[in-house]
Amino acid sequence: MALSQHQTSDEKWMQIALEQAKIAFQENEVPVGAVVRIGDDLISVGRNSSIKSSDPTSHAEINALRAACETKQTSKLNNAVIYVTLEPCLMCAGALLNARIRGLVYGAQDTSSGAAGSIINVLESGWLNHRIDITSGVCSDKAAALLTVFFDNLRRNED
């Protein structure tokens, strides 16, 4: 089956996010990576760094948003799309809404705290004055596998 141009583009950007997740893995952080793009331009990347920074808000999405806003010198990223290897949590979903991100593409579902459809979907709800287009499941096998290995290793080391 041939991939559409849109799918190929999403997979290209998700590969960059997966590279960030692999770096987080090597740094003993939960392996989640993110990429912000506007049009065909890479604006920023981010990865989880909560453990290293002792900052519970230092998720991949937040780090990528901070870098993108600094690069663009604005707090609003109206034309941006963010690619994340794991479905955003409620905190990150709120940050995406506040940044006015146009689109979210994510890999693996987060069935314990996902806020883009798994547990709750605040990004497309009618409760707020901004909605974000969501595409899920892009490179989900690769993203989920990285998380599985990380948490398996963590459990093994706890024993």
Side-chain angles (χ1 to χ4, degrees):
M1 180 173 122
L3 295 174
S4 72
Q5 191 174 26
H6 180 71
Q7 288 170 315
T8 302
S9 175
D10 284 349
E11 289 176 356
K12 173 190 127 182
W13 293 105
M14 188 62 75
Q15 289 300 323
I16 300 168
L18 283 163
E19 289 303 317
Q20 291 299 307
K22 289 174 187 174
I23 294 169
F25 183 97
Q26 293 166 352
E27 295 174 345
N28 294 316
E29 296 281 350
V30 177
V32 179
V35 171
V36 175
R37 74 160 173 89
I38 297 176
D40 291 331
D41 296 328
L42 173 67
I43 305 303
S44 68
V45 297
R47 61 184 172 271
N48 276 3
S49 60
S50 296
I51 297 166
K52 179 173 55 177
S53 66
S54 300
D55 179 356
T57 69
S58 199
H59 289 194
E61 301 93 315
I62 303 288
N63 291 334
L65 286 176
R66 285 179 179 148
C69 288
E70 185 175 328
T71 296
K72 299 305 269 181
Q73 291 295 291
T74 183
S75 64
K76 304 296 181 219
L77 300 166
N78 298 320
N79 296 316
V81 176
I82 189 167
Y83 293 79
V84 188
T85 58
L86 181 65
E87 178 181 0
C89 68
L90 189 56
M91 173 186 70
C92 291
L96 298 177
L97 287 164
N98 283 322
R100 298 295 190 259
I101 291 285
R102 178 176 54 83
L104 161 69
V105 179
Y106 72 85
Q109 285 188 314
D110 185 346
T111 57
S112 64
S113 61
S118 290
I119 301 299
I120 189 170
N121 186 348
V122 298
L123 301 179
E124 294 178 320
S125 78
W127 305 332
L128 304 167
N129 66 349
H130 182 69
R131 290 174 188 78
I132 296 174
D133 294 328
I134 300 171
T135 302
S136 62
V138 176
C139 300
S140 61
D141 291 347
K142 292 176 184 176
L146 196 56
L147 288 159
T148 297
V149 170
F150 177 83
F151 286 112
D152 284 351
N153 289 346
L154 192 64
R155 284 184 204 96
R156 240 178 278 143
N157 291 334
E158 287 177 350
D159 293 338

